[in-house]
Amino acid sequence: MNRPKCYLALKPIINQTLFDRTNVDDYFKNEEKLIFSNLFVGCHAQFLDDPTEDQHELLLMTLVEYCQEADSSVRKDIVDVIMDNDTIVQNIVFMSALNGEKHLDMNQCFEEFILELKAFLDGGDLTPKMGHFFLMHFRNFEDIKPSDYVNYELNKTEYNKLISQYLSRQTNFKFT
């Protein structure tokens, strides 16, 4: 499957969150199976058990750390991923126009969002709107079931199938 190169910037986020590893490709050079991290399994179970929880805290913590440490080319790829997912961006801008204390119109909210992305490119700090973007981009993270895998282990084929859904433009949204 061909995908824009920018989506590869998301792979370390997924790897760190799910497996507590940033470079799974190197890991598979010497190993046949990859195991979900205990931290992910525990946090994920807690996330699923709490019906009031609407944010995957481990994913957000990983995002913040990764973005702060990312070099300028990775930050540019992250912004490219965001801009490639215009449906999510439009939703975020719309929600900020509705919820904003400044009473900005849609164009002003979009300009504000673009300024936040430019600030991210310069400094690497994840903004709340970017965090919201990634929670939506990884919207079905809660569907990951480590217990579906024997001993919580995946082979390379299973791993590639699991993460491929997050390494592409997100479509088929229904915001209700």
Side-chain angles (χ1 to χ4, degrees):
M1 170 190 210
N2 287 337
R3 66 178 53 93
K5 174 190 151 306
C6 61
Y7 284 92
L8 293 178
L10 303 182
K11 200 170 179 180
I13 297 168
I14 298 165
N15 291 340
Q16 186 66 39
T17 304
L18 299 179
F19 308 108
D20 199 23
R21 299 182 180 283
T22 53
N23 196 333
V24 171
D25 293 327
D26 282 348
Y27 179 82
F28 273 122
K29 289 178 182 175
N30 299 317
E31 303 292 333
E32 291 183 25
K33 295 279 188 168
L34 176 67
I35 191 165
F36 284 96
S37 80
N38 289 332
L39 183 60
F40 174 75
V41 172
C43 288
H44 193 59
Q46 183 179 355
F47 172 75
L48 293 175
D49 287 344
D50 185 353
T52 63
E53 189 61 59
D54 65 348
Q55 297 183 13
H56 204 288
E57 294 297 328
L58 180 59
L59 175 61
L60 284 175
M61 289 186 317
T62 302
L63 278 165
V64 168
E65 184 177 316
Y66 178 72
C67 289
Q68 287 174 342
E69 295 174 2
D71 65 29
S72 60
S73 66
V74 171
R75 289 194 306 263
K76 175 158 181 351
D77 285 344
I78 289 171
V79 168
D80 288 347
V81 166
I82 291 170
M83 296 310 292
D84 189 46
N85 287 272
D86 56 325
T87 303
I88 300 174
V89 169
Q90 289 171 10
N91 180 279
I92 290 168
V93 169
F94 177 72
M95 294 306 294
S96 66
L98 287 177
N99 297 330
E101 295 175 12
K102 299 177 190 175
H103 302 292
L104 303 175
D105 66 28
M106 290 288 287
N107 289 335
Q108 292 170 314
C109 287
F110 185 75
E111 289 171 13
E112 187 176 83
F113 184 68
I114 295 300
L115 288 174
E116 289 178 12
L117 293 179
K118 287 179 181 177
F120 169 74
L121 286 171
D122 293 337
D125 291 331
L126 187 75
T127 68
K129 288 177 191 157
M130 289 176 66
H132 187 72
F133 168 86
F134 282 109
L135 288 173
M136 294 176 82
H137 182 82
F138 295 116
R139 71 192 182 285
N140 55 353
F141 228 53
E142 66 269 8
D143 295 340
I144 297 172
K145 294 181 178 62
S147 59
D148 285 353
Y149 301 91
V150 176
N151 297 324
Y152 300 121
E153 295 178 326
L154 299 87
N155 63 33
K156 188 163 177 82
T157 302
E158 293 168 322
Y159 162 79
N160 285 329
K161 182 179 178 188
L162 176 67
I163 69 161
S164 67
Q165 62 187 310
Y166 303 110
L167 299 178
S168 61
R169 187 171 200 264
Q170 298 300 297
T171 58
N172 299 324
F173 275 97
K174 291 185 180 178
F175 297 107
T176 55

